mmCIF file of all heavy atoms in Angstrom:
data_model
loop_
_atom_site.group_PDB
_atom_site.id
_atom_site.type_symbol
_atom_site.label_atom_id
_atom_site.label_comp_id
_atom_site.label_asym_id
_atom_site.label_seq_id
_atom_site.Cartn_x
_atom_site.Cartn_y
_atom_site.Cartn_z
ATOM 1 N N GLN A 1 -17.745 25.077 59.973
ATOM 2 C CA GLN A 1 -18.259 26.140 60.774
ATOM 3 C C GLN A 1 -19.696 26.479 60.342
ATOM 4 O O GLN A 1 -20.016 26.554 59.154
ATOM 5 C CB GLN A 1 -17.394 27.372 60.561
ATOM 6 C CG GLN A 1 -16.148 27.382 61.429
ATOM 7 C CD GLN A 1 -16.143 28.576 62.413
ATOM 8 O OE1 GLN A 1 -17.031 29.454 62.339
ATOM 9 N NE2 GLN A 1 -15.146 28.575 63.269
ATOM 10 N N GLY A 2 -20.528 26.739 61.326
ATOM 11 C CA GLY A 2 -21.922 27.148 61.030
ATOM 12 C C GLY A 2 -22.806 25.968 60.645
ATOM 13 O O GLY A 2 -23.935 26.252 60.261
ATOM 14 N N SER A 3 -22.305 24.725 60.652
ATOM 15 C CA SER A 3 -23.084 23.576 60.252
ATOM 16 C C SER A 3 -23.857 23.022 61.452
ATOM 17 O O SER A 3 -23.633 23.366 62.609
ATOM 18 C CB SER A 3 -22.140 22.522 59.683
ATOM 19 O OG SER A 3 -21.291 22.045 60.647
ATOM 20 N N VAL A 4 -24.785 22.122 61.097
ATOM 21 C CA VAL A 4 -25.568 21.455 62.184
ATOM 22 C C VAL A 4 -24.836 20.210 62.656
ATOM 23 O O VAL A 4 -24.927 19.929 63.893
ATOM 24 C CB VAL A 4 -26.967 21.045 61.616
ATOM 25 C CG1 VAL A 4 -27.799 20.318 62.600
ATOM 26 C CG2 VAL A 4 -27.685 22.278 61.075
ATOM 27 N N LEU A 5 -24.111 19.533 61.806
ATOM 28 C CA LEU A 5 -23.409 18.335 62.217
ATOM 29 C C LEU A 5 -22.043 18.598 62.882
ATOM 30 O O LEU A 5 -21.452 17.684 63.460
ATOM 31 C CB LEU A 5 -23.159 17.457 60.988
ATOM 32 C CG LEU A 5 -24.414 16.799 60.360
ATOM 33 C CD1 LEU A 5 -24.037 16.051 59.114
ATOM 34 C CD2 LEU A 5 -25.090 15.876 61.351
ATOM 35 N N GLY A 6 -21.526 19.844 62.770
ATOM 36 C CA GLY A 6 -20.202 20.157 63.288
ATOM 37 C C GLY A 6 -20.061 19.822 64.747
ATOM 38 O O GLY A 6 -19.083 19.128 65.169
ATOM 39 N N PRO A 7 -20.953 20.311 65.674
ATOM 40 C CA PRO A 7 -20.781 19.933 67.075
ATOM 41 C C PRO A 7 -20.831 18.482 67.398
ATOM 42 O O PRO A 7 -19.983 17.962 68.181
ATOM 43 C CB PRO A 7 -21.969 20.658 67.723
ATOM 44 C CG PRO A 7 -22.312 21.776 66.788
ATOM 45 C CD PRO A 7 -22.058 21.248 65.442
ATOM 46 N N LEU A 8 -21.677 17.690 66.707
ATOM 47 C CA LEU A 8 -21.708 16.266 66.914
ATOM 48 C C LEU A 8 -20.415 15.589 66.455
ATOM 49 O O LEU A 8 -19.871 14.727 67.140
ATOM 50 C CB LEU A 8 -22.909 15.658 66.146
ATOM 51 C CG LEU A 8 -23.087 14.121 66.237
ATOM 52 C CD1 LEU A 8 -23.354 13.717 67.691
ATOM 53 C CD2 LEU A 8 -24.136 13.669 65.319
ATOM 54 N N LEU A 9 -19.893 16.014 65.389
ATOM 55 C CA LEU A 9 -18.596 15.437 64.865
ATOM 56 C C LEU A 9 -17.463 15.722 65.840
ATOM 57 O O LEU A 9 -16.584 14.894 66.063
ATOM 58 C CB LEU A 9 -18.296 15.960 63.466
ATOM 59 C CG LEU A 9 -19.243 15.596 62.381
ATOM 60 C CD1 LEU A 9 -18.867 16.255 61.057
ATOM 61 C CD2 LEU A 9 -19.339 14.126 62.223
ATOM 62 N N TYR A 10 -17.478 16.922 66.473
ATOM 63 C CA TYR A 10 -16.458 17.217 67.435
ATOM 64 C C TYR A 10 -16.587 16.288 68.681
ATOM 65 O O TYR A 10 -15.601 15.861 69.297
ATOM 66 C CB TYR A 10 -16.527 18.653 67.839
ATOM 67 C CG TYR A 10 -15.419 19.029 68.861
ATOM 68 C CD1 TYR A 10 -14.124 19.318 68.415
ATOM 69 C CD2 TYR A 10 -15.670 19.103 70.199
ATOM 70 C CE1 TYR A 10 -13.107 19.684 69.318
ATOM 71 C CE2 TYR A 10 -14.678 19.461 71.104
ATOM 72 C CZ TYR A 10 -13.435 19.691 70.675
ATOM 73 O OH TYR A 10 -12.425 20.038 71.571
ATOM 74 N N LEU A 11 -17.827 16.016 69.113
ATOM 75 C CA LEU A 11 -17.995 15.150 70.259
ATOM 76 C C LEU A 11 -17.523 13.746 69.957
ATOM 77 O O LEU A 11 -16.905 13.078 70.851
ATOM 78 C CB LEU A 11 -19.487 15.147 70.639
ATOM 79 C CG LEU A 11 -20.148 16.453 71.086
ATOM 80 C CD1 LEU A 11 -21.568 16.172 71.598
ATOM 81 C CD2 LEU A 11 -19.280 17.090 72.183
ATOM 82 N N VAL A 12 -17.715 13.266 68.764
ATOM 83 C CA VAL A 12 -17.221 11.944 68.386
ATOM 84 C C VAL A 12 -15.710 11.947 68.299
ATOM 85 O O VAL A 12 -15.064 11.006 68.750
ATOM 86 C CB VAL A 12 -17.837 11.518 67.048
ATOM 87 C CG1 VAL A 12 -17.226 10.198 66.566
ATOM 88 C CG2 VAL A 12 -19.366 11.359 67.155
ATOM 89 N N TYR A 13 -15.136 13.029 67.847
ATOM 90 C CA TYR A 13 -13.710 13.129 67.686
ATOM 91 C C TYR A 13 -12.996 13.106 69.053
ATOM 92 O O TYR A 13 -11.880 12.507 69.188
ATOM 93 C CB TYR A 13 -13.331 14.353 66.894
ATOM 94 C CG TYR A 13 -11.867 14.472 66.548
ATOM 95 C CD1 TYR A 13 -11.301 13.561 65.767
ATOM 96 C CD2 TYR A 13 -11.072 15.484 67.126
ATOM 97 C CE1 TYR A 13 -9.945 13.652 65.379
ATOM 98 C CE2 TYR A 13 -9.705 15.630 66.776
ATOM 99 C CZ TYR A 13 -9.150 14.683 65.897
ATOM 100 O OH TYR A 13 -7.859 14.781 65.561
ATOM 101 N N THR A 14 -13.571 13.698 70.073
ATOM 102 C CA THR A 14 -12.966 13.774 71.394
ATOM 103 C C THR A 14 -13.624 12.820 72.383
ATOM 104 O O THR A 14 -13.369 12.959 73.591
ATOM 105 C CB THR A 14 -13.063 15.206 71.907
ATOM 106 O OG1 THR A 14 -14.462 15.604 71.984
ATOM 107 C CG2 THR A 14 -12.346 16.223 71.032
ATOM 108 N N ALA A 15 -14.337 11.842 71.938
ATOM 109 C CA ALA A 15 -15.064 10.968 72.869
ATOM 110 C C ALA A 15 -14.066 10.045 73.596
ATOM 111 O O ALA A 15 -14.384 9.619 74.735
ATOM 112 C CB ALA A 15 -16.086 10.119 72.119
ATOM 113 N N ASP A 16 -12.923 9.717 73.041
ATOM 114 C CA ASP A 16 -11.992 8.814 73.702
ATOM 115 C C ASP A 16 -10.946 9.576 74.438
ATOM 116 O O ASP A 16 -9.843 8.991 74.679
ATOM 117 C CB ASP A 16 -11.315 7.917 72.624
ATOM 118 C CG ASP A 16 -10.601 8.720 71.522
ATOM 119 O OD1 ASP A 16 -10.871 9.924 71.465
ATOM 120 O OD2 ASP A 16 -9.770 8.133 70.858
ATOM 121 N N ILE A 17 -11.241 10.740 74.922
ATOM 122 C CA ILE A 17 -10.280 11.442 75.762
ATOM 123 C C ILE A 17 -9.983 10.622 77.028
ATOM 124 O O ILE A 17 -10.900 10.043 77.619
ATOM 125 C CB ILE A 17 -10.858 12.834 76.134
ATOM 126 C CG1 ILE A 17 -9.841 13.664 76.906
ATOM 127 C CG2 ILE A 17 -12.123 12.729 76.929
ATOM 128 C CD1 ILE A 17 -10.251 15.107 77.106
ATOM 129 N N PRO A 18 -8.720 10.491 77.432
ATOM 130 C CA PRO A 18 -8.405 9.558 78.548
ATOM 131 C C PRO A 18 -8.976 9.967 79.844
ATOM 132 O O PRO A 18 -9.081 11.161 80.188
ATOM 133 C CB PRO A 18 -6.870 9.595 78.544
ATOM 134 C CG PRO A 18 -6.491 10.858 77.884
ATOM 135 C CD PRO A 18 -7.558 11.167 76.843
ATOM 136 N N THR A 19 -9.370 8.999 80.667
ATOM 137 C CA THR A 19 -9.873 9.181 81.983
ATOM 138 C C THR A 19 -9.156 8.171 82.895
ATOM 139 O O THR A 19 -8.546 7.206 82.418
ATOM 140 C CB THR A 19 -11.420 8.964 82.117
ATOM 141 O OG1 THR A 19 -11.697 7.642 81.624
ATOM 142 C CG2 THR A 19 -12.125 9.987 81.239
ATOM 143 N N GLN A 20 -9.191 8.377 84.201
ATOM 144 C CA GLN A 20 -8.660 7.444 85.119
ATOM 145 C C GLN A 20 -9.412 7.497 86.413
ATOM 146 O O GLN A 20 -10.214 8.463 86.690
ATOM 147 C CB GLN A 20 -7.186 7.737 85.412
ATOM 148 C CG GLN A 20 -6.846 9.104 85.990
ATOM 149 C CD GLN A 20 -5.357 9.308 86.176
ATOM 150 O OE1 GLN A 20 -4.562 8.718 85.442
ATOM 151 N NE2 GLN A 20 -4.994 10.098 87.181
ATOM 152 N N THR A 21 -9.291 6.471 87.233
ATOM 153 C CA THR A 21 -10.159 6.303 88.436
ATOM 154 C C THR A 21 -9.756 7.291 89.549
ATOM 155 O O THR A 21 -10.683 7.653 90.310
ATOM 156 C CB THR A 21 -9.992 4.877 88.975
ATOM 157 O OG1 THR A 21 -8.607 4.599 89.216
ATOM 158 C CG2 THR A 21 -10.508 3.836 87.967
ATOM 159 N N SER A 22 -8.566 7.745 89.629
ATOM 160 C CA SER A 22 -8.156 8.670 90.657
ATOM 161 C C SER A 22 -8.549 10.099 90.465
ATOM 162 O O SER A 22 -8.407 10.936 91.346
ATOM 163 C CB SER A 22 -6.640 8.568 90.889
ATOM 164 O OG SER A 22 -5.959 8.993 89.722
ATOM 165 N N THR A 23 -9.071 10.382 89.281
ATOM 166 C CA THR A 23 -9.595 11.742 88.973
ATOM 167 C C THR A 23 -11.005 11.624 88.343
ATOM 168 O O THR A 23 -11.425 10.584 87.922
ATOM 169 C CB THR A 23 -8.621 12.444 87.937
ATOM 170 O OG1 THR A 23 -8.593 11.674 86.751
ATOM 171 C CG2 THR A 23 -7.239 12.625 88.533
ATOM 172 N N SER A 24 -11.675 12.784 88.365
ATOM 173 C CA SER A 24 -12.961 12.890 87.716
ATOM 174 C C SER A 24 -12.925 13.860 86.572
ATOM 175 O O SER A 24 -12.180 14.892 86.689
ATOM 176 C CB SER A 24 -14.074 13.280 88.753
ATOM 177 O OG SER A 24 -13.784 14.563 89.246
ATOM 178 N N MET A 25 -13.597 13.595 85.527
ATOM 179 C CA MET A 25 -13.601 14.438 84.298
ATOM 180 C C MET A 25 -14.922 15.097 84.131
ATOM 181 O O MET A 25 -15.948 14.469 84.342
ATOM 182 C CB MET A 25 -13.240 13.534 83.127
ATOM 183 C CG MET A 25 -13.283 14.275 81.786
ATOM 184 S SD MET A 25 -11.820 15.263 81.459
ATOM 185 C CE MET A 25 -10.659 13.928 81.105
ATOM 186 N N ALA A 26 -14.949 16.349 83.705
ATOM 187 C CA ALA A 26 -16.144 17.120 83.394
ATOM 188 C C ALA A 26 -15.834 17.871 82.151
ATOM 189 O O ALA A 26 -14.983 18.804 82.160
ATOM 190 C CB ALA A 26 -16.568 18.008 84.560
ATOM 191 N N THR A 27 -16.536 17.610 81.041
ATOM 192 C CA THR A 27 -16.296 18.244 79.759
ATOM 193 C C THR A 27 -17.615 18.809 79.255
ATOM 194 O O THR A 27 -18.669 18.168 79.443
ATOM 195 C CB THR A 27 -15.669 17.287 78.773
ATOM 196 O OG1 THR A 27 -16.551 16.112 78.573
ATOM 197 C CG2 THR A 27 -14.311 16.826 79.192
ATOM 198 N N PHE A 28 -17.477 19.931 78.591
ATOM 199 C CA PHE A 28 -18.621 20.542 77.832
ATOM 200 C C PHE A 28 -18.041 21.048 76.527
ATOM 201 O O PHE A 28 -17.423 22.134 76.503
ATOM 202 C CB PHE A 28 -19.280 21.661 78.639
ATOM 203 C CG PHE A 28 -20.634 22.091 78.138
ATOM 204 C CD1 PHE A 28 -21.748 21.563 78.723
ATOM 205 C CD2 PHE A 28 -20.696 22.947 77.112
ATOM 206 C CE1 PHE A 28 -22.973 21.929 78.234
ATOM 207 C CE2 PHE A 28 -21.922 23.314 76.580
ATOM 208 C CZ PHE A 28 -23.083 22.801 77.178
#
């Protein structure tokens, strides 16, 4: 918490969230 690298590490951790062709994904 409160770190500079924390947000980047979370993006890497959730980068492989599943997607499929019949739907579109929008994440922030």
Side-chain angles (χ1 to χ4, degrees):
Q1 277 243 355
S3 64
V4 178
L5 292 175
L8 177 65
L9 296 178
Y10 181 81
L11 297 186
V12 174
Y13 187 65
T14 58
D16 59 343
I17 185 171
T19 59
Q20 61 181 28
T21 56
S22 60
T23 59
S24 64
M25 176 80 74
T27 56
F28 195 96

